[in-house]
Amino acid sequence: MGSFKINLGLDKPLYTQKGLSLVELIIALALSTTLILGIFTVYMDSNQTSRLATSLARIQESGRIATDIMSRDMRMVGFQGCADPDDVTMNIIANNPPTADFFQTTLRGWEVANGNWANGTEYDGTAIESSARIGSDVIAVQRGETMEIELTGNMSANNANIQVQGNDVARFSQNDIVLISDCEAADLFRISSNPSSGTWAHANNVNTTNRLSQAYADDARVMQFSSSIYFVADTGRDDAQGNDIFALYRQSLGLGGTVGAAQEIVEGVESLQIEYGELLATDNIRYTTADNIGDMANVVAIRLGMLISDADGSREGPDTGSYDLPGETIVATTGAGAGAITHPEDQRLRRAFVTTVMLRNRD
């Protein structure tokens, strides 16, 4: 009986696939490109969000610092201890005093329309007048600043030397200005002796007279006379896109009554706008700009507004928005009318900050 074999083809060689077909390669490239593009998009969006968050945090911190510093000074306008400025007129005997009438100069404001805004004041012709940004506002305040100094005994007469002690005595030098007051009187004089001895004379070689308005008791307060002016000016620095960087500046008197150098307080403040709350005869408060106030002595509140930007330029497109500040609206340059206060249409992030401060020493 013959034999036979069934050929299942198992004796043929096996072939395995090597590599990819063109179609498979194209699909793989398309998928990987889509994946990479998605990852890149997520990264860019995350990076942009992080930049915006960082810029916003910087702006908020700048706004908080600026309003805190200015509000502290504003609240204390006209402070001369427990002596009410409405009832007690400061007796000024210091030669070359920082004010001739404390009640009238405790609060002053200007609208900076040109480079001659300070005409007729002590700031006329100074660097402040020429550097203050046109379109922004300027405000100056005067007050007494509490020191760690106390009288160690009653004065025997109004021309007697003042005996003092305290941690802040060492801060004063001969010819420096001092404010002394109680609830019934206030005097501004220059120290004619060596202050470190603890005996402060007020002789007429640096004062118009050697007599104060009264002989003070040991409950009187000895203070530094503080005079500060706030304004916005160009820092001279540029951001990465070449835009000017502005800042809030403060210039103060030294203990000797001389004007010190302007100090940059907060970077990024592009505009300072202020309205003054004037107490009317009807007991209502009207908020208006400095050029519409008849008598600053009637101002009982201040509305501070600042436009603050961050130099990082974190916006994706140009800033074409408008920002409402007290008495002004800051608009984008494009399409702005004549006389409008504008901001550049750059990529800097901006925010407006507004706060109202009540003046404690004004009724």
Side-chain angles (χ1 to χ4, degrees):
M1 186 174 177
S3 62
F4 66 92
K5 294 190 295 183
I6 299 176
N7 188 351
L8 298 178
L10 296 179
D11 57 340
K12 294 183 179 180
L14 297 176
Y15 295 95
T16 59
Q17 182 176 349
K18 296 181 179 179
L20 299 173
S21 69
L22 180 59
V23 174
E24 292 173 323
L25 180 61
I26 292 174
I27 294 174
L29 288 174
L31 291 174
S32 59
T33 300
T34 302
L35 181 61
I36 292 173
L37 182 60
I39 294 173
F40 180 74
T41 301
V42 170
Y43 168 78
M44 293 300 294
D45 289 345
S46 176
N47 184 58
Q48 176 65 14
T49 301
S50 177
R51 289 183 62 195
L52 284 171
T54 301
S55 290
L56 183 59
R58 289 198 194 106
I59 291 173
Q60 290 175 333
E61 182 180 18
S62 297
R64 179 183 59 80
I65 293 172
T67 53
D68 282 355
I69 291 175
M70 292 191 68
S71 296
R72 179 178 179 272
D73 251 0
M74 303 303 115
R75 275 192 289 267
M76 301 300 288
V77 161
F79 177 69
Q80 53 180 12
C82 66
D84 188 342
D86 290 332
D87 300 326
V88 177
T89 300
M90 182 184 293
N91 179 44
I92 301 172
I93 65 171
N95 287 342
N96 300 315
T99 176
D101 187 340
F102 182 61
F103 186 74
Q104 291 297 323
T105 61
T106 54
L107 178 64
R108 290 174 292 170
W110 297 269
E111 301 281 317
V112 183
N114 52 54
N116 298 316
W117 57 268
N119 187 31
T121 70
E122 68 270 31
Y123 303 108
D124 191 2
T126 65
I128 297 177
E129 186 177 41
S130 59
S131 61
R133 188 178 191 188
I134 293 176
S136 187
D137 290 351
V138 174
I139 187 170
V141 298
Q142 293 179 343
R143 63 184 180 87
E145 185 170 344
T146 302
M147 311 288 284
E148 290 189 27
I149 299 175
E150 60 182 12
L151 274 67
T152 58
N154 299 345
M155 298 174 60
S156 57
N158 63 1
N159 64 341
N161 296 335
I162 299 175
Q163 307 298 322
V164 295
Q165 67 179 11
N167 295 333
D168 288 331
V169 169
R171 294 181 55 184
F172 287 85
S173 302
Q174 189 172 1
N175 206 39
D176 281 351
I177 294 177
V178 177
L179 195 165
I180 184 172
S181 74
D182 58 16
C183 295
E184 298 179 354
D187 286 83
L188 193 70
F189 69 92
R190 289 186 184 272
I191 305 172
S192 60
S193 59
N194 180 7
S196 62
S197 66
T199 299
W200 290 6
H202 39 91
N204 55 16
N205 62 323
V206 292
N207 297 285
T208 57
T209 177
N210 67 341
R211 294 184 179 275
L212 304 178
S213 58
Q214 68 173 18
Y216 286 94
D218 55 9
D219 61 345
R221 301 180 69 170
V222 178
M223 293 173 280
Q224 173 187 345
F225 183 86
S226 174
S227 179
S228 301
I229 184 168
Y230 293 88
F231 60 99
V232 172
D234 192 341
T235 63
R237 303 187 297 271
D238 295 334
D239 64 16
Q241 288 75 41
N243 302 303
D244 295 333
I245 296 177
F246 292 86
L248 177 69
Y249 284 84
R250 177 179 62 191
Q251 192 161 18
S252 304
L253 290 180
L255 293 175
T258 57
V259 178
Q263 297 177 318
E264 182 180 330
I265 302 299
V266 176
E267 181 185 272
V269 179
E270 296 186 351
S271 183
L272 172 64
Q273 301 294 332
I274 302 172
E275 284 186 324
Y276 299 83
E278 182 180 18
L279 183 64
L280 304 177
T282 59
D283 287 336
N284 294 320
I285 297 178
R286 179 191 67 152
Y287 285 92
T288 187
T289 54
D291 52 355
N292 290 318
I293 294 292
D295 187 356
M296 280 287 180
N298 294 328
V299 173
V300 297
I302 297 174
R303 188 172 288 159
L304 297 172
M306 282 172 278
L307 180 63
I308 302 178
S309 66
D310 180 54
D312 185 41
S314 56
R315 293 177 60 96
E316 292 185 326
D319 183 6
T320 59
S322 299
Y323 301 91
D324 291 325
L325 294 178
E328 292 287 353
T329 297
I330 315 298
V331 299
T333 305
T334 302
I341 300 177
T342 63
H343 65 79
E345 295 183 23
D346 53 25
Q347 292 180 293
R348 285 182 284 193
L349 188 67
R350 290 178 173 83
R351 289 293 183 271
F353 292 82
V354 179
T355 186
T356 300
V357 181
M358 302 304 295
L359 309 187
R360 295 175 178 172
N361 301 290
R362 303 283 183 93
D363 293 331

